[in-house]
Amino acid sequence: MSMLYFVFGAGILLLSALFRLAAVFRLSIPLLYALVVPTLFSGWYYSHYMLANVIWYILLAATLLSWVYSLIRKVSALLEQRRCDKAREEIFIQRVRETCRNGGGIVRTDDLQD
């Protein structure tokens, strides 16, 4: 009897880890679909096998699109940050040259901080 509890607990722990990993990669809905539909709706699943697989592939494609969208946003943010840094650098160089032309002194950088 205790072995049954151990196996049940290990199964629950494995499912928990699987869903946590799926949530990190935004695969919770496709995983839930892959587990629930063949199990609870097996009659429908096997009679409409092609449709069930197409639905699953669409869910995976939507996840892939969300990954691509996130990647594009991340790259866009990095490029924007690079552009801002380059603009601050150009302003700083211009101020240093201007200060040197005026005979030296202090270069003001207060407004160039993030």
Side-chain angles (χ1 to χ4, degrees):
M1 189 66 162
S2 66
M3 185 64 165
L4 181 66
Y5 288 131
F6 177 74
V7 170
F8 182 71
I12 294 295
L13 186 65
L14 182 66
L15 275 176
S16 173
L18 186 66
F19 273 103
R20 174 123 6 216
L21 189 63
V24 167
F25 291 109
R26 289 186 231 152
L27 289 167
S28 298
I29 294 175
L31 177 65
L32 191 62
Y33 179 83
L35 291 175
V36 169
V37 170
T39 305
L40 298 178
F41 305 109
S42 61
W44 178 85
Y45 177 75
Y46 289 114
S47 65
H48 300 93
Y49 185 74
M50 183 66 94
L51 176 64
N53 283 342
V54 167
I55 292 171
W56 191 63
Y57 292 138
I58 288 172
L59 290 172
L60 289 176
T63 301
L64 183 67
L65 283 175
S66 77
W67 290 351
V68 169
Y69 178 72
S70 295
L71 181 66
I72 288 172
R73 282 186 37 198
K74 187 70 150 174
V75 169
S76 173
L78 287 173
L79 290 175
E80 181 64 29
Q81 181 66 36
R82 172 91 172 129
R83 227 173 315 191
C84 288
D85 290 345
K86 196 71 172 163
R88 284 190 203 112
E89 182 182 337
E90 291 296 324
I91 292 170
F92 178 73
I93 290 171
Q94 181 183 4
R95 287 181 184 174
V96 167
R97 287 183 183 148
E98 198 174 284
T99 303
C100 288
R101 269 183 271 158
N102 292 337
I106 297 174
V107 178
R108 195 172 56 85
T109 62
D110 300 347
D111 58 339
L112 296 180
Q113 301 298 322
D114 285 334

